Amino acid sequence: MDFSELGEFGFIDWIRCSYPSSSPSVIKGIGDDAAVLSFSNDLVLLITTDQLIEGFHFRLGETDGEKLGRKALAVNLSDIAAMGGYPIGYTVSLGIPSKRIPFDFVDSFYRGLTALGEMIGVELLGGDTSESGDRLFISITLLGKALKNKVVYRAGGQEGDLIYVSGWLGEAALGFHLLEKGISKKGKENIFFRYLCPIPRVKEGQLLAEKNLPRAMIDISDGLLADLNHLLEQSGLGAEIELSRLPLSPDFQLWTKEYGFDPLSLALEGGEDYELLFCVAPEKSKEVEKLSQEVSLPFTCIGKLIRGTKGIWIKDAKGVIAPVLPKGYNHFKSR
Ligand code: ADP
Ligand code: MG
């Protein structure tokens, strides 16, 4: 077996099957946005970890310490949001190439990190520090909590459920590609911001879960199709997505056209939007729309869960339905 054959998700499956959890206090181990541990009669503990590696997840010339600190915490917060959870605190482990990274950069990294932490109400609890040779490594582990009967898993979607997505799709991927091409940020700051400094939908995840709206939920880190596919695998269903319903912001449409990017492939396969993707019983759609107004963030219905055929089916503008591969970001596999 080799990594390119397995891909990132085959590798994770191999770990999950080879080393299953055995403790009864593990409600969910490997396979969701966060692990879920029994804590008391009513409460569960949520644990998630995510890393950012220089050269893969970020390049120093393209961001600054503060934004990087915010992003490192935001991507973890997004996983707690996807469980409908309440983040509590986090640890930060750094591998610092100290000959190359100035102290001031790390100083501003911590300023960004803790500023977002304060905004959300999570504490820095500890971490680990090492010299790392040539790349900056950042790994954050975030703890959260939730009421046992309110946690939302990737599993749980039912046939006929409506599939919703929060916010807008494709902007982070567009920001990444514009940066890569060295295109000026002027007038498109919001698009760059979506890539460099994503906003985790913590409050939205909590409110959705509190109101028992989603039956299944995941955050979009690898891309809409890839993450929807994770949810489908856990829910044992297929999905039909309508292209004309994808939430694409006017700015996104403007700049993809201007610079010749395919908006649909960015929206479907581009990663790092950190929006929430969730499935709701059709009779609850009015409540979802009401909540969307309350939080001033669009929750857009983009399709529905289907039984009988596995995988994702796309309905185009002419009404033609065809299967699509769940392409998205996958470490170890070229796209
Ligand atoms: P997300 O995109 O939500 O952060 P991932 O795709 O990174 O989720 O991970 C999916 C699941 O696999 C999670 O439960 C995560 O804890 C687990 N996982 C990922 N990498 C490893 C690893 N190297 N060892 C054990 N579990 C892992
Ligand atoms: Mg996730």
Side-chain angles (χ1 to χ4, degrees):
M1 211 132 54
D2 70 26
F3 284 108
S4 67
E5 209 180 293
L6 276 172
E8 178 189 355
F9 306 116
F11 175 65
I12 293 173
D13 259 354
W14 168 78
I15 304 170
R16 188 175 54 78
C17 297
S18 309
Y19 305 99
S21 56
S22 55
S23 162
S25 60
V26 180
I27 299 172
K28 182 78 199 183
I30 296 174
D32 218 300
D33 293 290
V36 183
L37 298 184
S38 204
F39 189 67
S40 69
N41 272 348
D42 304 333
L43 281 181
V44 294
L45 197 60
L46 305 171
I47 305 166
T48 185
T49 188
D50 260 308
Q51 56 185 332
L52 298 182
I53 298 175
E54 186 184 354
F56 289 95
H57 299 98
F58 65 91
R59 284 179 289 250
L60 283 187
E62 294 175 351
T63 187
D64 57 47
E66 206 169 322
K67 288 198 193 67
L68 191 60
R70 280 177 172 262
K71 181 164 182 175
L73 184 56
V75 300
N76 281 277
L77 287 166
S78 179
D79 278 325
I80 297 292
M83 309 298 289
Y86 291 74
I88 305 168
Y90 58 98
T91 61
V92 182
S93 296
L94 294 180
I96 304 173
S98 65
K99 306 274 179 303
R100 193 167 58 79
I101 303 271
F103 171 79
D104 286 354
F105 185 89
V106 180
D107 181 28
S108 59
F109 170 87
Y110 272 93
R111 267 189 275 121
L113 180 77
T114 52
L116 178 61
E118 267 171 40
M119 227 174 83
I120 303 279
V122 288
E123 293 280 331
L124 172 59
L125 302 174
D128 192 31
T129 306
S130 169
E131 170 64 52
S132 74
D134 63 348
R135 280 175 201 267
L136 177 59
F137 288 85
I138 303 160
S139 173
I140 290 187
T141 298
L142 176 65
L143 299 184
K145 63 181 177 183
L147 285 172
K148 197 178 268 177
N149 61 0
K150 297 285 183 185
V151 184
V152 190
Y153 296 89
R154 291 178 180 180
Q158 293 183 20
E159 181 182 8
D161 279 1
L162 302 177
I163 303 170
Y164 280 86
V165 68
S166 69
W168 297 271
L169 294 171
E171 293 185 341
L174 176 61
F176 168 80
H177 287 296
L178 292 176
L179 263 181
E180 209 182 26
K181 283 186 174 268
I183 287 165
S184 154
K185 290 187 181 164
K186 202 154 173 269
K188 357 176 164 56
E189 289 80 0
N190 55 336
I191 299 284
F192 285 95
F193 196 80
R194 291 272 292 168
Y195 168 62
L196 296 174
C197 211
I199 296 171
R201 306 300 190 189
V202 179
K203 189 87 224 149
E204 291 80 2
Q206 291 165 351
L207 289 170
L208 284 162
E210 238 168 62
K211 294 175 187 296
N212 299 315
L213 294 174
R215 281 207 268 235
M217 184 152 67
I218 189 169
D219 68 322
I220 302 179
S221 52
D222 300 324
L224 172 69
L225 294 180
D227 286 308
L228 174 58
N229 194 52
H230 296 320
L231 186 148
L232 295 176
E233 281 173 352
Q234 298 265 329
S235 293
L237 291 167
E240 188 182 297
I241 297 298
E242 283 185 52
L243 286 186
S244 62
R245 291 180 175 230
L246 298 180
L248 309 180
S249 74
D251 274 357
F252 174 79
Q253 296 187 47
L254 173 74
W255 298 120
T256 44
K257 194 162 177 212
E258 173 93 10
Y259 292 104
F261 291 105
D262 174 12
L264 289 178
S265 88
L266 292 184
L268 293 169
E269 297 165 11
E272 300 213 281
D273 280 321
Y274 296 102
E275 295 293 355
L276 295 174
L277 177 69
F278 53 97
C279 305
V280 175
E283 62 271 19
K284 293 199 170 170
S285 63
K286 285 270 173 305
E287 271 186 83
V288 172
E289 278 145 34
K290 188 161 161 261
L291 181 60
S292 162
Q293 293 200 333
E294 280 166 26
V295 297
S296 305
L297 183 73
F299 292 158
T300 309
C301 176
I302 59 168
K304 61 176 190 261
L305 294 183
I306 53 174
R307 187 178 289 285
T309 41
K310 287 264 167 76
I312 304 172
W313 296 71
I314 294 279
K315 192 192 238 182
D316 69 15
K318 294 183 188 130
V320 178
I321 301 175
V324 68
L325 285 175
K327 276 200 281 179
Y329 197 81
N330 187 324
H331 291 273
F332 312 144
K333 276 201 171 171
S334 52
R335 302 187 62 180

